[in-house]
Amino acid sequence: QGQQMWGGRFSEATDSFVAAFTASVGFDQRFAKHDIQGSVAHATMLGRCGILTQEEVDTIIQGLHQVQQEIDAGEFNWSIALEDVHMNVESRLTDIIGTVGKKLHTGRSRNDQVATDIRLWLREEVDNIVELLVKLQSGLLNLAEQHTDTIMPGFTHLQTAQPVSFGHHVMAWFEMLNRDTERLIDARSRINQMPLGSAALAGTTFPIDRTITAELLGFEGICQNSLDAVSDRDFAIEFTSAASILMMHLSRMSEEIILWMSAQFGFVQIPDRFCTGSSIMPQKKNPDVPELVRGKAARVFGQLITLLTLMKNQPLAYNKDNQEDKEPLFDCVDTLTGSLLAFVDMLPNIIPNKESMRAATMKGYATATDLADYLVRRGVPFRDAHEVVGNAVALGIKEGVDLSELKLEQLQQFSDAIGDDVFDYLTLEGSLAARDHLGGTAPNQVLQAVARGRERLAQYNIDVK
Ligand code: ARG
């Protein structure tokens, strides 16, 4: 029965197409390190529980280390006939150390083995992603701090609404990403639970001690039901869902940068290293990186749907369907990690064009609400104030000037509650400074938000340099 490790009950070899079709080694060899790590812990536990002798365990562990070295050196001969990473590693182990290698799989199944490998691998990837996220957030704090009083139009419906500090806008991005960081850290605790010991589905007849393997592998908990442990991939779906939300945020930021880089906005530039030119139009500098990240979000959402759909019809316990969990998950991790790597360098290095942001803010009657609020403070009911300011805006549009450029008498024709101090409230600086409460855009509030942001990041204990 060729190389196969389960050939005992079969009367003919697997069709060569079927062998290739059912094999996962082409992609799951990515788990090799974690598979070996899991096997070392499993063997150690078998020894401590008296299921294998210490001598057998030592031989197995030495053999596993040699397998790891061969893989690291690129000398390992991956075989499709051996289906997956698990059987490739085990088979090579037996080649190296002889029959005792065949004892490693005592009290274990590939079903709990693969579930363990995915979790060990994903836990590491999440740590890497969280580190990138925190670096990105830290870069945004630095950017926001430099621009607490850089003024830009704030938008609703993509129409100029009220003046805001560019630093305040950047801090909105910070908040979005901080929830993503929290979501991933939270998901990590459910990823970090150990299926090993569940064996194929029902547990094992050997007197194993799962607390030993859990401790050796750094799991913070042990999956409590063997059927559930080998079958559910909800932890991967949860990760992909957090990844999708994060990509949705990166995509929104990308969209803003792309818009802001257009000649029509002219609000920001990003360094040339994130852009490419056109092969025909010599003047072009295209925001390729943000455009691509916006596109890549679609891909991650797709992987989320793939995993949800993969899971939804599966009866307990393990089904081969689950072999299809790996490529979507790998793609999701790689796409997200790549996008974050680009953003860590790009986003904090945005170069705002203060003059054009200011000019745009002056154009859209952004201080109209400030004028209405001014009238309210002088006793005019808000709805009436709204009407008065609407009339003033209409006059401004007709004359082609901003509210602050209208004459006092022109303004007073709409309401006698308007005094000559009104212009203090119509300036962009006055408008910003007036929103002086927690969460508001006043420059000193943005500065405080940055300081609080630094404290919040400190708790993650990540070197942001
Ligand atoms: N390659 C398989 C997977 O990715 C490993 C588990 C196989 N288990 C089995 N009973 N065929 O899910």
Side-chain angles (χ1 to χ4, degrees):
Q1 264 46 90
Q3 279 188 292
Q4 265 132 12
M5 303 190 86
W6 34 250
R9 62 104 72 203
F10 286 77
S11 58
E12 64 175 353
T14 310
D15 183 273
S16 64
F17 166 75
V18 173
F21 185 69
T22 55
S24 54
V25 67
F27 47 87
D28 67 14
Q29 52 181 273
R30 192 164 170 171
F31 291 146
K33 186 182 92 180
H34 308 90
D35 194 71
I36 290 172
Q37 191 189 351
S39 289
V40 168
H42 179 67
T44 305
M45 181 278 289
L46 291 177
R48 289 202 203 153
C49 295
I51 302 164
L52 294 187
T53 67
Q54 196 50 46
E55 203 189 330
E56 289 170 330
V57 173
D58 293 342
T59 310
I60 288 173
I61 291 177
Q62 267 174 26
L64 285 168
H65 286 149
Q66 185 176 329
V67 174
Q68 181 70 63
Q69 278 162 16
E70 291 178 8
I71 294 170
D72 291 344
E75 288 161 3
F76 193 91
N77 207 347
W78 298 101
S79 155
I80 286 195
L82 289 167
E83 244 182 271
D84 52 28
V85 61
H86 323 294
M87 292 199 290
N88 268 271
V89 169
E90 192 190 317
S91 163
R92 180 66 192 134
L93 174 71
T94 302
D95 288 349
I96 299 170
I97 64 171
T99 313
V100 61
K102 297 183 183 172
K103 295 195 172 187
L104 170 62
H105 212 50
T106 311
R108 185 177 76 171
S109 155
R110 278 184 294 154
N111 296 350
D112 58 343
Q113 195 179 352
V114 69
T116 302
D117 289 6
I118 306 175
R119 288 170 183 266
L120 287 172
W121 170 80
L122 187 56
R123 178 177 83 181
E124 221 172 271
E125 296 293 337
V126 167
D127 289 343
N128 183 40
I129 288 167
V130 166
E131 186 175 329
L132 286 172
L133 256 176
V134 170
K135 281 185 181 157
L136 174 55
Q137 286 183 269
S138 165
L140 290 181
L141 291 176
N142 297 337
L143 181 65
E145 190 173 40
Q146 290 160 37
H147 291 288
T148 54
D149 46 23
T150 299
I151 298 177
M152 65 177 284
F155 299 94
T156 60
H157 313 267
L158 207 54
Q159 308 290 315
T160 299
Q162 293 171 355
V164 293
S165 145
F166 176 63
H168 195 51
H169 194 112
V170 170
M171 286 304 289
W173 291 344
F174 172 89
E175 292 295 333
M176 289 146 75
L177 294 176
N178 201 59
R179 287 190 298 279
D180 292 316
T181 302
E182 290 174 352
R183 252 187 292 276
L184 284 164
I185 289 173
D186 194 49
R188 187 191 191 278
S189 66
R190 276 175 295 279
I191 293 167
N192 199 20
Q193 304 288 323
M194 189 187 75
L196 200 61
S198 302
L201 74 163
T204 171
T205 57
F206 295 96
I208 59 169
D209 183 347
R210 299 179 71 199
T211 60
I212 296 175
T213 30
E215 201 186 315
L216 288 171
L217 294 170
F219 280 110
E220 60 194 72
I222 296 173
C223 299
Q224 299 286 303
N225 178 288
S226 61
L227 293 167
D228 172 51
V230 294
S231 62
D232 209 340
R233 299 291 182 260
D234 60 350
F235 66 93
I237 296 174
E238 187 177 351
F239 164 78
T240 311
S241 133
S244 296
I245 297 174
L246 169 50
M247 285 302 296
M248 176 272 291
H249 283 150
L250 297 185
S251 179
R252 291 183 68 193
M253 295 168 201
S254 296
E255 170 76 1
E256 292 189 312
I257 291 164
I258 294 161
L259 274 176
W260 292 352
M261 273 182 70
S262 68
Q264 288 68 21
F265 273 81
F267 284 6
V268 298
Q269 279 302 322
I270 56 177
D272 282 359
R273 62 182 181 279
F274 300 105
C275 301
T276 61
S278 159
S279 56
I280 173 170
M281 296 167 284
Q283 85 283 12
K284 296 277 274 182
K285 174 175 160 183
N286 294 328
D288 280 48
V289 169
E291 287 174 275
L292 205 49
V293 168
R294 188 174 58 182
K296 282 185 186 293
R299 200 170 150 147
V300 172
F301 300 174
Q303 307 300 14
L304 171 61
I305 297 300
T306 300
L307 291 179
L308 282 168
T309 314
L310 177 66
M311 202 73 243
K312 72 180 271 292
N313 299 52
Q314 289 194 48
L316 290 170
Y318 176 85
N319 302 281
K320 185 82 168 184
D321 310 42
N322 273 339
Q323 185 163 292
E324 285 292 305
D325 62 1
K326 287 157 203 68
E327 289 161 293
L329 192 56
F330 293 162
D331 188 61
C332 177
V333 163
D334 293 340
T335 307
L336 177 56
T337 305
S339 303
L340 279 173
L341 272 171
F343 261 56
V344 164
D345 189 13
M346 183 188 77
L347 207 56
N349 286 305
I350 290 182
I351 309 140
N353 182 336
K354 295 187 188 190
E355 292 69 37
S356 61
M357 281 182 169
R358 190 178 179 88
T361 320
M362 291 298 291
K363 256 191 258 166
Y365 300 96
T367 56
T369 315
D370 297 84
L371 178 55
D373 288 353
Y374 167 89
L375 290 168
V376 169
R377 281 193 296 274
R378 304 194 148 223
V380 180
F382 184 78
R383 279 291 150 229
D384 296 339
H386 191 285
E387 172 81 13
V388 166
V389 179
N391 292 330
V393 167
L395 177 63
I397 291 170
K398 196 166 132 229
E399 308 237 318
V401 296
D402 182 59
L403 287 179
S404 63
E405 294 163 330
L406 289 170
K407 306 236 159 12
L408 181 59
E409 309 80 70
Q410 288 180 296
L411 287 169
Q412 281 172 334
Q413 65 179 308
F414 301 116
S415 168
D416 49 20
I418 294 177
D420 58 5
D421 59 344
V422 69
F423 294 104
D424 298 343
Y425 300 91
L426 295 181
T427 66
L428 303 183
E429 281 73 13
S431 171
L432 247 63
R435 285 160 172 82
D436 188 11
H437 55 78
L438 193 146
T441 191
N444 80 81
Q445 291 292 343
V446 178
L447 214 53
Q448 290 176 47
V450 169
R452 287 194 303 271
R454 292 222 165 89
E455 278 169 31
R456 285 153 78 191
L457 290 191
Q459 72 179 358
Y460 301 129
N461 276 321
I462 285 169
D463 183 10
V464 292
K465 288 287 141 336

